[in-house]
Amino acid sequence: MKKEEIYRDTEDWYLKTKKNQAYSLLVDLTSSYAGNKILDIGCATGSYCIELKKKGFKCVGVDINEGYVEDAIEKGVEAYKMNAEKLIFPDNSFDTIILFEVLEHSTNPKLILNEARRVSKKNILISVPNSTNFFELKRNNLTYEHMLETDHLNFFTKNDLEELLSEIFEKFKVEEIDPIPLTVGLPNWVNYVLIVLIKLKLIKYDRIYNRLISVIEV
């Protein structure tokens, strides 16, 4: 087993992977809340712009990684190399800003959020890895995959993200999504039975969620 199979550096990861990196839950979130013109901050190789364009949205991407931007452009995405802390767009240029898996990489997430607010007319949609249950997992010698990414600088619990957003915005909500499966390597029907038993309160299980999302009104 190689070190890079355990620890992941996202500096060029999106160029190496062949998978579509547009997570369906986040595409659905955007489709539900976004206005027509979207700015994807931290667009990587353009997966979200591509999927959102299929749904009729106009999506522009920006990323600080030049290789990612070049790859996105080759795929037909309108993309620009740009620092998220100083966007070269006028105020209110976009209806919606998406910041998916970005703030955990930033040395100054507050500055990025302020820039997102400046260029947005309607709202900002955010996702970050969820660190809320980290110590619960640690007690069982377990961890999240995102704890093993070498370029993560911030680790948000639900309370952490709410506190950060409350310093800048008045109207927002933060939710946990993407539950970790109850069992690994067993048939889906086993999970289904366990979920039913939990809902009937016949067994107790505090679900652990991979991601935090936030919908912010501006």
Side-chain angles (χ1 to χ4, degrees):
M1 182 176 291
K2 298 178 181 179
K3 179 180 178 181
E4 55 266 28
E5 293 179 285
I6 300 173
Y7 295 95
R8 189 177 83 176
D9 186 338
T10 58
E11 183 176 352
D12 62 355
W13 184 78
Y14 289 97
L15 291 175
K16 292 179 179 178
T17 183
K18 301 301 181 182
K19 296 187 298 182
N20 179 2
Q21 294 305 310
Y23 187 45
S24 60
L25 282 177
L26 298 181
V27 173
D28 292 343
L29 175 76
T30 307
S31 298
S32 297
Y33 288 96
N36 181 62
K37 191 175 181 182
I38 298 169
L39 175 65
D40 181 1
I41 296 178
C43 69
T45 56
S47 293
Y48 283 103
C49 283
I50 291 169
E51 293 303 313
L52 292 168
K53 184 177 179 181
K54 293 176 184 176
K55 293 180 176 292
F57 295 96
K58 176 177 173 56
C59 187
V60 176
V62 298
D63 202 288
I64 199 167
N65 186 311
E66 187 170 1
Y68 287 171
V69 171
E70 290 175 354
D71 188 81
I73 292 171
E74 289 177 4
K75 295 174 180 175
V77 175
E78 182 182 348
Y80 303 93
K81 183 179 184 296
M82 201 175 297
N83 189 332
E85 297 179 1
K86 193 173 183 181
L87 298 171
I88 309 175
F89 295 114
D91 295 356
N92 304 314
S93 299
F94 299 89
D95 298 310
T96 298
I97 311 301
I98 58 176
L99 279 161
F100 293 157
E101 314 298 299
V102 171
L103 297 181
E104 66 270 21
H105 300 276
S106 171
T107 57
N108 196 335
K110 191 181 296 186
L111 189 56
I112 291 176
L113 289 168
N114 275 312
E115 274 293 270
R117 180 178 63 172
R118 180 182 68 79
V119 300
S120 173
K121 296 178 186 176
K122 180 182 179 181
N123 55 25
I124 302 167
L125 309 178
I126 292 173
S127 78
V128 294
N130 181 18
S131 299
T132 301
N133 295 104
F134 171 72
F135 291 107
E136 180 180 341
L137 290 173
K138 185 179 178 182
R139 282 193 294 271
N140 294 286
N141 295 318
L142 299 171
T143 189
Y144 296 98
E145 182 184 26
H146 57 251
M147 294 294 177
L148 302 176
E149 296 200 0
T150 59
D151 53 352
H152 280 196
L153 304 177
N154 305 300
F155 299 89
F156 294 100
T157 66
K158 187 171 184 289
N159 286 340
D160 291 335
L161 185 58
E162 288 173 338
E163 288 179 10
L164 172 64
L165 297 180
S166 69
E167 295 179 25
I168 304 170
F169 307 101
E170 293 183 1
K171 296 181 179 181
F172 63 87
K173 63 179 179 180
V174 176
E175 297 178 0
E176 294 178 299
I177 66 164
D178 192 14
I180 294 174
L182 298 176
T183 57
V184 178
L186 293 177
N188 288 335
W189 68 265
V190 176
N191 274 323
Y192 177 78
V193 171
L194 289 173
I195 291 170
V196 171
L197 292 174
I198 291 166
K199 288 182 177 179
L200 293 174
K201 298 183 178 179
L202 296 177
I203 61 174
K204 182 180 179 181
Y205 176 76
D206 295 324
R207 304 201 78 179
I208 296 175
Y209 295 83
N210 279 312
R211 285 179 173 83
L212 297 170
I213 59 167
S214 181
V215 179
I216 305 167
E217 296 182 35
V218 297

